[in-house]
C-alpha cells in the first residue's frame, strides 16, 4: 500500500518492514509456548515415579502430626465453625451434613482430651485429679468403708 502524501521534510527516513511469513508465525508461536504443562491441567502427562512422589508427599502432609511444641491446637469453637461452614468441602449439601454430624460426634472427645491436657499441665491439678478419682472409686466400690 503506497501513500500519495509526500514527506514534509527531506530528512525523513523510511524503513522497510519485513514480510511476515507463515513459517515465521509457526516458529514464533512454538517459541512462545511453555515447555512445562500448565499447572492444574488434567491432561498433563505424569510419569509413574512423579505420581508416586506426589502421592507420598500428600500422604506425609496428611498424616504428619502438628508441631505441638511450637503451635497449639485450635480452640473447639474454631473447629466447630470449620466443620459447620465446610469451606474445605465441595458444594454438595449432603457431604457438608456428614461433616457436621461427624464433627458433633468428635467434638466431645476432643473436649475431653483438651481438659485432660489442661489437668496434666500442672502438678497440683494432677494431684487434685488423682485424689478426686480415688475418692470416687472409694465411694463407688466400698460405700460403707
Amino acid at each position: 500500500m503506497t501513500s500519495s502524501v509526500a514527506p514534509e521534510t527531506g530528512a525523513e527516513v523510511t524503513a522497510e518492514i519485513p514480510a511476515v511469513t507463515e513459517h515465521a508465525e509457526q516458529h514464533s508461536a512454538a517459541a512462545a509456548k511453555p515447555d512445562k504443562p500448565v499447572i492444574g491441567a488434567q491432561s498433563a502427562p505424569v510419569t509413574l515415579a512423579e505420581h508416586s512422589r506426589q502421592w507420598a508427599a500428600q500422604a506425609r502432609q496428611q498424616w504428619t502430626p502438628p508441631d505441638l511444641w511450637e503451635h497449639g491446637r485450635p480452640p473447639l469453637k474454631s473447629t466447630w465453625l470449620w466443620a459447620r461452614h465446610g469451606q474445605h468441602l465441595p458444594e454438595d449439601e449432603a457431604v457438608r451434613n456428614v461433616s457436621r454430624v461427624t464433627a458433633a460426634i468428635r467434638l466431645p472427645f476432643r473436649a475431653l482430651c483438651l481438659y485432660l491436657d489442661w489437668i496434666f499441665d500442672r502438678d497440683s491439678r494432677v494431684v487434685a485429679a488423682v485424689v478426686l478419682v480415688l475418692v470416687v472409686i472409694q465411694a463407688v466400690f466400698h460405700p460403707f468403708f
Side-chain angles (χ1 to χ4, degrees):
M1 184 169 164
T2 59
S3 174
S4 61
V5 177
E8 294 180 8
T9 64
E12 279 191 35
V13 178
T14 59
E16 289 186 30
I17 299 174
V20 178
T21 63
E22 193 174 303
H23 175 69
E25 288 177 4
Q26 290 174 352
H27 184 56
S28 64
K33 191 182 289 187
D35 292 336
K36 294 182 180 180
V38 177
I39 294 176
Q42 297 297 326
S43 62
V46 178
T47 63
L48 180 60
E50 181 63 28
H51 178 72
S52 299
R53 278 192 292 273
Q54 289 174 356
W55 184 85
Q58 289 174 352
R60 272 193 304 277
Q61 181 184 10
Q62 178 70 23
W63 293 102
T64 301
D67 182 14
L68 295 176
W69 190 262
E70 295 285 328
H71 307 287
R73 299 298 296 153
L76 293 175
K77 182 178 181 180
S78 65
T79 302
W80 173 246
L81 291 175
W82 183 74
R84 192 176 89 192
H85 294 294
Q87 292 99 352
H88 60 289
L89 297 171
E91 292 295 325
D92 186 9
E93 194 61 32
V95 174
R96 291 178 182 230
N97 285 336
V98 169
S99 174
R100 290 179 191 115
V101 168
T102 58
I105 293 170
R106 287 188 321 255
L107 215 55
F109 293 108
R110 186 157 183 266
L112 175 68
C113 290
L114 287 174
Y115 279 120
L116 287 174
D117 179 49
W118 176 78
I119 289 171
F120 285 105
D121 193 34
R122 302 278 187 268
D123 290 337
S124 59
R125 293 179 194 151
V126 172
V127 170
V130 167
V131 168
L132 182 63
V133 166
L134 290 176
V135 166
V136 169
I137 289 174
Q138 184 72 26
V140 169
F141 291 117
H142 303 291
F144 299 108
F145 180 61

